[in-house]
Amino acid sequence: MANLKRNMIVLVKEVKEAEIETVKYLTPESLVYEAIDMTQEIDKSEEAKSAAS
């Protein structure tokens, strides 16, 4: 799990003559882990539904 993908948003704050001032925001790692947990729960739920039918 060390190679988890993180998304980034780059916000342009100010444009000067030859420079662009930006701020970078990364998605929190905790959200990535929560999404993985939710995906696993959904997969288990779908497997249980398939087994029941």
mmCIF file of all heavy atoms in Angstrom:
data_model
loop_
_atom_site.group_PDB
_atom_site.id
_atom_site.type_symbol
_atom_site.label_atom_id
_atom_site.label_comp_id
_atom_site.label_asym_id
_atom_site.label_seq_id
_atom_site.Cartn_x
_atom_site.Cartn_y
_atom_site.Cartn_z
ATOM 1 N N MET A 1 0.800 -1.193 0.000
ATOM 2 C CA MET A 1 0.000 0.000 0.000
ATOM 3 C C MET A 1 0.849 1.267 0.000
ATOM 4 O O MET A 1 0.327 2.356 0.126
ATOM 5 C CB MET A 1 -0.903 0.023 1.214
ATOM 6 C CG MET A 1 -2.079 -0.835 1.137
ATOM 7 S SD MET A 1 -3.327 -0.011 2.116
ATOM 8 C CE MET A 1 -4.592 -1.170 2.034
ATOM 9 N N ALA A 2 2.143 1.120 -0.144
ATOM 10 C CA ALA A 2 3.008 2.289 -0.101
ATOM 11 C C ALA A 2 2.873 3.159 -1.339
ATOM 12 O O ALA A 2 3.206 4.330 -1.305
ATOM 13 C CB ALA A 2 4.448 1.847 0.071
ATOM 14 N N ASN A 3 2.388 2.604 -2.423
ATOM 15 C CA ASN A 3 2.307 3.354 -3.666
ATOM 16 C C ASN A 3 0.894 3.841 -3.953
ATOM 17 O O ASN A 3 0.402 3.738 -5.067
ATOM 18 C CB ASN A 3 2.797 2.494 -4.831
ATOM 19 C CG ASN A 3 4.255 2.140 -4.692
ATOM 20 O OD1 ASN A 3 5.027 2.940 -4.211
ATOM 21 N ND2 ASN A 3 4.629 0.952 -5.107
ATOM 22 N N LEU A 4 0.231 4.400 -2.962
ATOM 23 C CA LEU A 4 -1.116 4.918 -3.158
ATOM 24 C C LEU A 4 -1.077 6.202 -3.956
ATOM 25 O O LEU A 4 -0.197 7.042 -3.777
ATOM 26 C CB LEU A 4 -1.793 5.185 -1.816
ATOM 27 C CG LEU A 4 -2.076 3.960 -0.969
ATOM 28 C CD1 LEU A 4 -2.656 4.383 0.364
ATOM 29 C CD2 LEU A 4 -3.027 3.028 -1.680
ATOM 30 N N LYS A 5 -2.043 6.345 -4.837
ATOM 31 C CA LYS A 5 -2.127 7.550 -5.651
ATOM 32 C C LYS A 5 -2.781 8.662 -4.842
ATOM 33 O O LYS A 5 -3.770 8.448 -4.169
ATOM 34 C CB LYS A 5 -2.958 7.262 -6.894
ATOM 35 C CG LYS A 5 -3.109 8.452 -7.795
ATOM 36 C CD LYS A 5 -3.963 8.117 -8.986
ATOM 37 C CE LYS A 5 -4.202 9.354 -9.808
ATOM 38 N NZ LYS A 5 -5.106 9.110 -10.909
ATOM 39 N N ARG A 6 -2.200 9.847 -4.923
ATOM 40 C CA ARG A 6 -2.786 11.022 -4.283
ATOM 41 C C ARG A 6 -3.061 12.045 -5.370
ATOM 42 O O ARG A 6 -2.244 12.254 -6.255
ATOM 43 C CB ARG A 6 -1.836 11.614 -3.243
ATOM 44 C CG ARG A 6 -1.655 10.680 -2.057
ATOM 45 C CD ARG A 6 -0.774 11.280 -1.020
ATOM 46 N NE ARG A 6 -1.465 12.391 -0.376
ATOM 47 C CZ ARG A 6 -0.882 13.204 0.471
ATOM 48 N NH1 ARG A 6 0.394 13.069 0.758
ATOM 49 N NH2 ARG A 6 -1.563 14.183 1.019
ATOM 50 N N ASN A 7 -4.201 12.662 -5.298
ATOM 51 C CA ASN A 7 -4.551 13.699 -6.253
ATOM 52 C C ASN A 7 -4.082 15.046 -5.756
ATOM 53 O O ASN A 7 -3.927 15.264 -4.555
ATOM 54 C CB ASN A 7 -6.058 13.728 -6.487
ATOM 55 C CG ASN A 7 -6.530 12.480 -7.179
ATOM 56 O OD1 ASN A 7 -5.915 12.007 -8.110
ATOM 57 N ND2 ASN A 7 -7.626 11.931 -6.708
ATOM 58 N N MET A 8 -3.877 15.955 -6.699
ATOM 59 C CA MET A 8 -3.409 17.280 -6.347
ATOM 60 C C MET A 8 -4.185 18.313 -7.157
ATOM 61 O O MET A 8 -4.490 18.107 -8.323
ATOM 62 C CB MET A 8 -1.916 17.416 -6.650
ATOM 63 C CG MET A 8 -1.362 18.776 -6.352
ATOM 64 S SD MET A 8 0.432 18.921 -6.558
ATOM 65 C CE MET A 8 0.671 18.403 -8.238
ATOM 66 N N ILE A 9 -4.511 19.410 -6.492
ATOM 67 C CA ILE A 9 -5.131 20.557 -7.156
ATOM 68 C C ILE A 9 -4.123 21.695 -7.103
ATOM 69 O O ILE A 9 -3.563 21.990 -6.050
ATOM 70 C CB ILE A 9 -6.427 20.985 -6.441
ATOM 71 C CG1 ILE A 9 -7.462 19.877 -6.522
ATOM 72 C CG2 ILE A 9 -6.954 22.278 -7.046
ATOM 73 C CD1 ILE A 9 -8.695 20.163 -5.691
ATOM 74 N N VAL A 10 -3.886 22.318 -8.246
ATOM 75 C CA VAL A 10 -2.991 23.471 -8.298
ATOM 76 C C VAL A 10 -3.852 24.701 -8.540
ATOM 77 O O VAL A 10 -4.542 24.802 -9.548
ATOM 78 C CB VAL A 10 -1.938 23.313 -9.419
ATOM 79 C CG1 VAL A 10 -1.021 24.527 -9.450
ATOM 80 C CG2 VAL A 10 -1.131 22.048 -9.230
ATOM 81 N N LEU A 11 -3.822 25.611 -7.592
ATOM 82 C CA LEU A 11 -4.606 26.833 -7.666
ATOM 83 C C LEU A 11 -3.702 27.992 -8.056
ATOM 84 O O LEU A 11 -2.676 28.225 -7.440
ATOM 85 C CB LEU A 11 -5.236 27.118 -6.300
ATOM 86 C CG LEU A 11 -6.007 28.420 -6.151
ATOM 87 C CD1 LEU A 11 -7.247 28.400 -7.050
ATOM 88 C CD2 LEU A 11 -6.391 28.635 -4.710
ATOM 89 N N VAL A 12 -4.075 28.717 -9.108
ATOM 90 C CA VAL A 12 -3.312 29.895 -9.526
ATOM 91 C C VAL A 12 -3.827 31.075 -8.711
ATOM 92 O O VAL A 12 -4.980 31.467 -8.835
ATOM 93 C CB VAL A 12 -3.473 30.159 -11.042
ATOM 94 C CG1 VAL A 12 -2.733 31.425 -11.435
ATOM 95 C CG2 VAL A 12 -2.991 28.968 -11.849
ATOM 96 N N LYS A 13 -2.947 31.612 -7.870
ATOM 97 C CA LYS A 13 -3.345 32.721 -6.997
ATOM 98 C C LYS A 13 -3.181 34.075 -7.667
ATOM 99 O O LYS A 13 -4.038 34.937 -7.545
ATOM 100 C CB LYS A 13 -2.518 32.702 -5.711
ATOM 101 C CG LYS A 13 -2.914 31.610 -4.752
ATOM 102 C CD LYS A 13 -2.108 31.685 -3.488
ATOM 103 C CE LYS A 13 -2.517 32.899 -2.685
ATOM 104 N NZ LYS A 13 -1.867 32.964 -1.369
ATOM 105 N N GLU A 14 -2.072 34.244 -8.367
ATOM 106 C CA GLU A 14 -1.802 35.549 -8.946
ATOM 107 C C GLU A 14 -0.918 35.383 -10.177
ATOM 108 O O GLU A 14 -0.014 34.558 -10.199
ATOM 109 C CB GLU A 14 -1.092 36.430 -7.920
ATOM 110 C CG GLU A 14 -0.976 37.868 -8.323
ATOM 111 C CD GLU A 14 -0.428 38.741 -7.201
ATOM 112 O OE1 GLU A 14 -0.491 38.348 -6.030
ATOM 113 O OE2 GLU A 14 0.070 39.813 -7.526
ATOM 114 N N VAL A 15 -1.207 36.165 -11.193
ATOM 115 C CA VAL A 15 -0.394 36.162 -12.404
ATOM 116 C C VAL A 15 0.276 37.519 -12.525
ATOM 117 O O VAL A 15 -0.386 38.551 -12.606
ATOM 118 C CB VAL A 15 -1.264 35.885 -13.663
ATOM 119 C CG1 VAL A 15 -0.405 35.905 -14.915
ATOM 120 C CG2 VAL A 15 -2.001 34.564 -13.524
ATOM 121 N N LYS A 16 1.601 37.486 -12.479
ATOM 122 C CA LYS A 16 2.378 38.714 -12.664
ATOM 123 C C LYS A 16 2.993 38.655 -14.058
ATOM 124 O O LYS A 16 2.782 37.706 -14.794
ATOM 125 C CB LYS A 16 3.444 38.822 -11.580
ATOM 126 C CG LYS A 16 2.855 38.934 -10.185
ATOM 127 C CD LYS A 16 3.928 39.026 -9.141
ATOM 128 C CE LYS A 16 3.278 39.084 -7.753
ATOM 129 N NZ LYS A 16 4.266 39.072 -6.686
ATOM 130 N N GLU A 17 3.763 39.641 -14.432
ATOM 131 C CA GLU A 17 4.302 39.721 -15.780
ATOM 132 C C GLU A 17 4.950 38.426 -16.257
ATOM 133 O O GLU A 17 4.545 37.867 -17.263
ATOM 134 C CB GLU A 17 5.296 40.876 -15.878
ATOM 135 C CG GLU A 17 4.647 42.232 -15.747
ATOM 136 C CD GLU A 17 5.667 43.352 -15.811
ATOM 137 O OE1 GLU A 17 6.766 43.130 -16.334
ATOM 138 O OE2 GLU A 17 5.332 44.438 -15.325
ATOM 139 N N ALA A 18 5.948 37.950 -15.561
ATOM 140 C CA ALA A 18 6.654 36.748 -15.999
ATOM 141 C C ALA A 18 6.504 35.593 -15.011
ATOM 142 O O ALA A 18 7.085 34.530 -15.207
ATOM 143 C CB ALA A 18 8.125 37.059 -16.205
ATOM 144 N N GLU A 19 5.724 35.765 -13.960
ATOM 145 C CA GLU A 19 5.588 34.742 -12.925
ATOM 146 C C GLU A 19 4.128 34.406 -12.658
ATOM 147 O O GLU A 19 3.251 35.249 -12.774
ATOM 148 C CB GLU A 19 6.212 35.234 -11.612
ATOM 149 C CG GLU A 19 7.692 35.448 -11.666
ATOM 150 C CD GLU A 19 8.236 35.879 -10.299
ATOM 151 O OE1 GLU A 19 7.603 35.559 -9.281
ATOM 152 O OE2 GLU A 19 9.276 36.543 -10.285
ATOM 153 N N ILE A 20 3.927 33.161 -12.304
ATOM 154 C CA ILE A 20 2.605 32.695 -11.897
ATOM 155 C C ILE A 20 2.748 32.162 -10.478
ATOM 156 O O ILE A 20 3.549 31.263 -10.226
ATOM 157 C CB ILE A 20 2.072 31.582 -12.828
ATOM 158 C CG1 ILE A 20 1.939 32.113 -14.247
ATOM 159 C CG2 ILE A 20 0.750 31.051 -12.313
ATOM 160 C CD1 ILE A 20 1.559 31.045 -15.252
ATOM 161 N N GLU A 21 1.984 32.706 -9.555
ATOM 162 C CA GLU A 21 2.020 32.256 -8.163
ATOM 163 C C GLU A 21 0.932 31.201 -7.972
ATOM 164 O O GLU A 21 -0.243 31.443 -8.235
ATOM 165 C CB GLU A 21 1.780 33.431 -7.221
ATOM 166 C CG GLU A 21 1.896 33.065 -5.766
ATOM 167 C CD GLU A 21 1.663 34.253 -4.853
ATOM 168 O OE1 GLU A 21 1.806 35.406 -5.303
ATOM 169 O OE2 GLU A 21 1.306 34.001 -3.692
ATOM 170 N N THR A 22 1.350 30.005 -7.546
ATOM 171 C CA THR A 22 0.403 28.903 -7.380
ATOM 172 C C THR A 22 0.467 28.348 -5.965
ATOM 173 O O THR A 22 1.440 28.556 -5.235
ATOM 174 C CB THR A 22 0.706 27.753 -8.361
ATOM 175 O OG1 THR A 22 2.015 27.252 -8.105
ATOM 176 C CG2 THR A 22 0.609 28.210 -9.804
ATOM 177 N N VAL A 23 -0.580 27.647 -5.596
ATOM 178 C CA VAL A 23 -0.645 26.912 -4.333
ATOM 179 C C VAL A 23 -1.096 25.499 -4.669
ATOM 180 O O VAL A 23 -2.032 25.303 -5.443
ATOM 181 C CB VAL A 23 -1.643 27.560 -3.352
ATOM 182 C CG1 VAL A 23 -1.730 26.769 -2.074
ATOM 183 C CG2 VAL A 23 -1.267 28.991 -3.068
ATOM 184 N N LYS A 24 -0.420 24.500 -4.087
ATOM 185 C CA LYS A 24 -0.758 23.097 -4.351
ATOM 186 C C LYS A 24 -1.449 22.496 -3.131
ATOM 187 O O LYS A 24 -1.016 22.686 -1.999
ATOM 188 C CB LYS A 24 0.500 22.294 -4.672
ATOM 189 C CG LYS A 24 1.184 22.750 -5.932
ATOM 190 C CD LYS A 24 2.444 21.960 -6.186
ATOM 191 C CE LYS A 24 3.133 22.492 -7.436
ATOM 192 N NZ LYS A 24 4.389 21.785 -7.688
ATOM 193 N N TYR A 25 -2.538 21.775 -3.394
ATOM 194 C CA TYR A 25 -3.282 21.086 -2.345
ATOM 195 C C TYR A 25 -3.322 19.597 -2.678
ATOM 196 O O TYR A 25 -3.768 19.210 -3.759
ATOM 197 C CB TYR A 25 -4.720 21.609 -2.238
ATOM 198 C CG TYR A 25 -4.804 23.055 -1.810
ATOM 199 C CD1 TYR A 25 -4.922 24.077 -2.746
ATOM 200 C CD2 TYR A 25 -4.765 23.385 -0.464
ATOM 201 C CE1 TYR A 25 -5.000 25.403 -2.357
ATOM 202 C CE2 TYR A 25 -4.842 24.715 -0.060
ATOM 203 C CZ TYR A 25 -4.961 25.709 -1.015
ATOM 204 O OH TYR A 25 -5.034 27.023 -0.617
ATOM 205 N N LEU A 26 -2.852 18.777 -1.761
ATOM 206 C CA LEU A 26 -2.883 17.324 -1.937
ATOM 207 C C LEU A 26 -4.062 16.733 -1.183
ATOM 208 O O LEU A 26 -4.444 17.229 -0.124
ATOM 209 C CB LEU A 26 -1.590 16.686 -1.415
ATOM 210 C CG LEU A 26 -0.320 17.028 -2.173
ATOM 211 C CD1 LEU A 26 0.888 16.491 -1.408
ATOM 212 C CD2 LEU A 26 -0.356 16.442 -3.558
ATOM 213 N N THR A 27 -4.628 15.656 -1.731
ATOM 214 C CA THR A 27 -5.694 14.981 -1.012
ATOM 215 C C THR A 27 -5.102 14.329 0.234
ATOM 216 O O THR A 27 -3.996 13.796 0.195
ATOM 217 C CB THR A 27 -6.362 13.886 -1.870
ATOM 218 O OG1 THR A 27 -5.350 13.003 -2.351
ATOM 219 C CG2 THR A 27 -7.121 14.464 -3.032
ATOM 220 N N PRO A 28 -5.803 14.385 1.330
ATOM 221 C CA PRO A 28 -5.300 13.758 2.556
ATOM 222 C C PRO A 28 -5.209 12.245 2.404
ATOM 223 O O PRO A 28 -6.063 11.622 1.778
ATOM 224 C CB PRO A 28 -6.334 14.125 3.614
ATOM 225 C CG PRO A 28 -7.167 15.192 3.023
ATOM 226 C CD PRO A 28 -7.053 15.078 1.545
ATOM 227 N N GLU A 29 -4.179 11.671 2.979
ATOM 228 C CA GLU A 29 -4.004 10.221 2.900
ATOM 229 C C GLU A 29 -5.139 9.482 3.595
ATOM 230 O O GLU A 29 -5.521 8.404 3.178
ATOM 231 C CB GLU A 29 -2.666 9.820 3.512
ATOM 232 C CG GLU A 29 -1.485 10.259 2.694
ATOM 233 C CD GLU A 29 -0.177 9.843 3.312
ATOM 234 O OE1 GLU A 29 -0.144 8.862 4.069
ATOM 235 O OE2 GLU A 29 0.826 10.508 3.025
ATOM 236 N N SER A 30 -5.681 10.065 4.644
ATOM 237 C CA SER A 30 -6.747 9.386 5.379
ATOM 238 C C SER A 30 -7.958 9.144 4.486
ATOM 239 O O SER A 30 -8.621 8.119 4.608
ATOM 240 C CB SER A 30 -7.150 10.184 6.611
ATOM 241 O OG SER A 30 -7.660 11.443 6.226
ATOM 242 N N LEU A 31 -8.245 10.066 3.574
ATOM 243 C CA LEU A 31 -9.369 9.868 2.651
ATOM 244 C C LEU A 31 -9.109 8.703 1.716
ATOM 245 O O LEU A 31 -10.032 7.969 1.364
ATOM 246 C CB LEU A 31 -9.631 11.138 1.842
ATOM 247 C CG LEU A 31 -10.193 12.316 2.611
ATOM 248 C CD1 LEU A 31 -10.384 13.515 1.678
ATOM 249 C CD2 LEU A 31 -11.515 11.961 3.243
ATOM 250 N N VAL A 32 -7.865 8.521 1.320
ATOM 251 C CA VAL A 32 -7.515 7.407 0.446
ATOM 252 C C VAL A 32 -7.783 6.095 1.170
ATOM 253 O O VAL A 32 -8.375 5.166 0.616
ATOM 254 C CB VAL A 32 -6.041 7.504 -0.009
ATOM 255 C CG1 VAL A 32 -5.632 6.267 -0.788
ATOM 256 C CG2 VAL A 32 -5.831 8.755 -0.842
ATOM 257 N N TYR A 33 -7.357 6.018 2.428
ATOM 258 C CA TYR A 33 -7.586 4.798 3.197
ATOM 259 C C TYR A 33 -9.078 4.549 3.423
ATOM 260 O O TYR A 33 -9.543 3.413 3.356
ATOM 261 C CB TYR A 33 -6.849 4.856 4.535
ATOM 262 C CG TYR A 33 -5.345 4.782 4.390
ATOM 263 C CD1 TYR A 33 -4.537 5.817 4.819
ATOM 264 C CD2 TYR A 33 -4.740 3.673 3.810
ATOM 265 C CE1 TYR A 33 -3.157 5.750 4.684
ATOM 266 C CE2 TYR A 33 -3.369 3.598 3.662
ATOM 267 C CZ TYR A 33 -2.580 4.633 4.100
ATOM 268 O OH TYR A 33 -1.227 4.568 3.958
ATOM 269 N N GLU A 34 -9.840 5.606 3.691
ATOM 270 C CA GLU A 34 -11.283 5.456 3.867
ATOM 271 C C GLU A 34 -11.932 4.946 2.590
ATOM 272 O O GLU A 34 -12.820 4.092 2.631
ATOM 273 C CB GLU A 34 -11.907 6.792 4.265
ATOM 274 C CG GLU A 34 -11.603 7.214 5.677
ATOM 275 C CD GLU A 34 -12.213 8.569 6.003
ATOM 276 O OE1 GLU A 34 -13.286 8.900 5.477
ATOM 277 O OE2 GLU A 34 -11.598 9.309 6.792
ATOM 278 N N ALA A 35 -11.494 5.447 1.449
ATOM 279 C CA ALA A 35 -12.046 4.999 0.174
ATOM 280 C C ALA A 35 -11.730 3.530 -0.074
ATOM 281 O O ALA A 35 -12.575 2.778 -0.567
ATOM 282 C CB ALA A 35 -11.500 5.852 -0.963
ATOM 283 N N ILE A 36 -10.534 3.094 0.281
ATOM 284 C CA ILE A 36 -10.161 1.685 0.123
ATOM 285 C C ILE A 36 -11.049 0.812 1.010
ATOM 286 O O ILE A 36 -11.557 -0.223 0.567
ATOM 287 C CB ILE A 36 -8.675 1.473 0.451
ATOM 288 C CG1 ILE A 36 -7.814 2.138 -0.618
ATOM 289 C CG2 ILE A 36 -8.343 -0.009 0.568
ATOM 290 C CD1 ILE A 36 -6.341 2.201 -0.278
ATOM 291 N N ASP A 37 -11.252 1.233 2.257
ATOM 292 C CA ASP A 37 -12.105 0.478 3.177
ATOM 293 C C ASP A 37 -13.534 0.389 2.641
ATOM 294 O O ASP A 37 -14.159 -0.675 2.686
ATOM 295 C CB ASP A 37 -12.107 1.110 4.564
ATOM 296 C CG ASP A 37 -10.768 0.981 5.266
ATOM 297 O OD1 ASP A 37 -9.957 0.123 4.851
ATOM 298 O OD2 ASP A 37 -10.538 1.743 6.225
ATOM 299 N N MET A 38 -14.054 1.510 2.120
ATOM 300 C CA MET A 38 -15.418 1.513 1.592
ATOM 301 C C MET A 38 -15.534 0.601 0.376
ATOM 302 O O MET A 38 -16.522 -0.123 0.231
ATOM 303 C CB MET A 38 -15.831 2.938 1.216
ATOM 304 C CG MET A 38 -16.065 3.827 2.412
ATOM 305 S SD MET A 38 -16.416 5.534 1.982
ATOM 306 C CE MET A 38 -17.931 5.376 1.070
ATOM 307 N N THR A 39 -14.528 0.591 -0.466
ATOM 308 C CA THR A 39 -14.537 -0.274 -1.644
ATOM 309 C C THR A 39 -14.556 -1.734 -1.229
ATOM 310 O O THR A 39 -15.287 -2.547 -1.804
ATOM 311 C CB THR A 39 -13.307 0.009 -2.527
ATOM 312 O OG1 THR A 39 -13.318 1.385 -2.895
ATOM 313 C CG2 THR A 39 -13.307 -0.841 -3.767
ATOM 314 N N GLN A 40 -13.771 -2.076 -0.225
ATOM 315 C CA GLN A 40 -13.746 -3.452 0.261
ATOM 316 C C GLN A 40 -15.103 -3.850 0.840
ATOM 317 O O GLN A 40 -15.575 -4.966 0.615
ATOM 318 C CB GLN A 40 -12.646 -3.627 1.299
ATOM 319 C CG GLN A 40 -11.261 -3.552 0.698
ATOM 320 C CD GLN A 40 -10.152 -3.568 1.736
ATOM 321 O OE1 GLN A 40 -10.398 -3.374 2.926
ATOM 322 N NE2 GLN A 40 -8.931 -3.783 1.282
ATOM 323 N N GLU A 41 -15.745 -2.952 1.576
ATOM 324 C CA GLU A 41 -17.062 -3.239 2.133
ATOM 325 C C GLU A 41 -18.099 -3.437 1.031
ATOM 326 O O GLU A 41 -18.948 -4.335 1.109
ATOM 327 C CB GLU A 41 -17.507 -2.115 3.061
ATOM 328 C CG GLU A 41 -16.740 -2.069 4.358
ATOM 329 C CD GLU A 41 -17.175 -0.911 5.241
ATOM 330 O OE1 GLU A 41 -18.317 -0.424 5.077
ATOM 331 O OE2 GLU A 41 -16.370 -0.505 6.098
ATOM 332 N N ILE A 42 -18.042 -2.623 0.001
ATOM 333 C CA ILE A 42 -18.971 -2.755 -1.123
ATOM 334 C C ILE A 42 -18.759 -4.086 -1.825
ATOM 335 O O ILE A 42 -19.723 -4.782 -2.165
ATOM 336 C CB ILE A 42 -18.807 -1.573 -2.105
ATOM 337 C CG1 ILE A 42 -19.299 -0.282 -1.456
ATOM 338 C CG2 ILE A 42 -19.530 -1.848 -3.422
ATOM 339 C CD1 ILE A 42 -18.950 0.977 -2.227
ATOM 340 N N ASP A 43 -17.504 -4.460 -2.035
ATOM 341 C CA ASP A 43 -17.202 -5.732 -2.691
ATOM 342 C C ASP A 43 -17.747 -6.906 -1.872
ATOM 343 O O ASP A 43 -18.336 -7.840 -2.417
ATOM 344 C CB ASP A 43 -15.702 -5.897 -2.893
ATOM 345 C CG ASP A 43 -15.150 -4.967 -3.966
ATOM 346 O OD1 ASP A 43 -15.955 -4.438 -4.770
ATOM 347 O OD2 ASP A 43 -13.915 -4.778 -3.999
ATOM 348 N N LYS A 44 -17.564 -6.860 -0.549
ATOM 349 C CA LYS A 44 -18.073 -7.929 0.313
ATOM 350 C C LYS A 44 -19.595 -7.992 0.242
ATOM 351 O O LYS A 44 -20.182 -9.068 0.196
ATOM 352 C CB LYS A 44 -17.629 -7.713 1.756
ATOM 353 C CG LYS A 44 -16.164 -7.983 1.993
ATOM 354 C CD LYS A 44 -15.793 -7.707 3.441
ATOM 355 C CE LYS A 44 -14.314 -7.831 3.671
ATOM 356 N NZ LYS A 44 -13.928 -7.490 5.048
ATOM 357 N N SER A 45 -20.252 -6.836 0.233
ATOM 358 C CA SER A 45 -21.699 -6.775 0.156
ATOM 359 C C SER A 45 -22.200 -7.369 -1.155
ATOM 360 O O SER A 45 -23.167 -8.123 -1.171
ATOM 361 C CB SER A 45 -22.158 -5.330 0.307
ATOM 362 O OG SER A 45 -23.559 -5.238 0.117
ATOM 363 N N GLU A 46 -21.529 -7.034 -2.245
ATOM 364 C CA GLU A 46 -21.932 -7.573 -3.550
ATOM 365 C C GLU A 46 -21.728 -9.067 -3.632
ATOM 366 O O GLU A 46 -22.531 -9.787 -4.208
ATOM 367 C CB GLU A 46 -21.163 -6.856 -4.672
ATOM 368 C CG GLU A 46 -21.616 -5.419 -4.860
ATOM 369 C CD GLU A 46 -20.798 -4.674 -5.910
ATOM 370 O OE1 GLU A 46 -19.797 -5.242 -6.419
ATOM 371 O OE2 GLU A 46 -21.151 -3.537 -6.218
ATOM 372 N N GLU A 47 -20.635 -9.568 -3.015
ATOM 373 C CA GLU A 47 -20.388 -11.003 -2.984
ATOM 374 C C GLU A 47 -21.473 -11.714 -2.179
ATOM 375 O O GLU A 47 -21.941 -12.795 -2.542
ATOM 376 C CB GLU A 47 -19.009 -11.298 -2.395
ATOM 377 C CG GLU A 47 -17.871 -10.922 -3.316
ATOM 378 C CD GLU A 47 -16.503 -11.081 -2.663
ATOM 379 O OE1 GLU A 47 -16.435 -11.580 -1.503
ATOM 380 O OE2 GLU A 47 -15.514 -10.707 -3.299
ATOM 381 N N ALA A 48 -21.886 -11.110 -1.055
ATOM 382 C CA ALA A 48 -22.931 -11.712 -0.223
ATOM 383 C C ALA A 48 -24.258 -11.755 -0.977
ATOM 384 O O ALA A 48 -25.000 -12.735 -0.890
ATOM 385 C CB ALA A 48 -23.071 -10.926 1.068
ATOM 386 N N LYS A 49 -24.573 -10.704 -1.735
ATOM 387 C CA LYS A 49 -25.800 -10.685 -2.520
ATOM 388 C C LYS A 49 -25.784 -11.744 -3.600
ATOM 389 O O LYS A 49 -26.776 -12.422 -3.857
ATOM 390 C CB LYS A 49 -26.015 -9.317 -3.155
ATOM 391 C CG LYS A 49 -26.417 -8.242 -2.187
ATOM 392 C CD LYS A 49 -26.596 -6.909 -2.898
ATOM 393 C CE LYS A 49 -26.932 -5.803 -1.914
ATOM 394 N NZ LYS A 49 -27.043 -4.489 -2.583
ATOM 395 N N SER A 50 -24.613 -11.920 -4.238
ATOM 396 C CA SER A 50 -24.492 -12.933 -5.285
ATOM 397 C C SER A 50 -24.633 -14.332 -4.707
ATOM 398 O O SER A 50 -25.257 -15.207 -5.309
ATOM 399 C CB SER A 50 -23.127 -12.813 -5.973
ATOM 400 O OG SER A 50 -23.030 -11.589 -6.661
ATOM 401 N N ALA A 51 -24.066 -14.554 -3.521
ATOM 402 C CA ALA A 51 -24.155 -15.872 -2.892
ATOM 403 C C ALA A 51 -25.576 -16.167 -2.444
ATOM 404 O O ALA A 51 -26.018 -17.316 -2.481
ATOM 405 C CB ALA A 51 -23.192 -15.929 -1.714
ATOM 406 N N ALA A 52 -26.318 -15.136 -2.041
ATOM 407 C CA ALA A 52 -27.689 -15.328 -1.573
ATOM 408 C C ALA A 52 -28.646 -15.663 -2.712
ATOM 409 O O ALA A 52 -29.633 -16.364 -2.516
ATOM 410 C CB ALA A 52 -28.181 -14.080 -0.837
ATOM 411 N N SER A 53 -28.324 -15.201 -3.908
ATOM 412 C CA SER A 53 -29.237 -15.457 -5.020
ATOM 413 C C SER A 53 -28.800 -16.624 -5.832
ATOM 414 O O SER A 53 -28.847 -17.692 -5.685
ATOM 415 C CB SER A 53 -29.302 -14.261 -5.956
ATOM 416 O OG SER A 53 -28.031 -13.957 -6.470
#
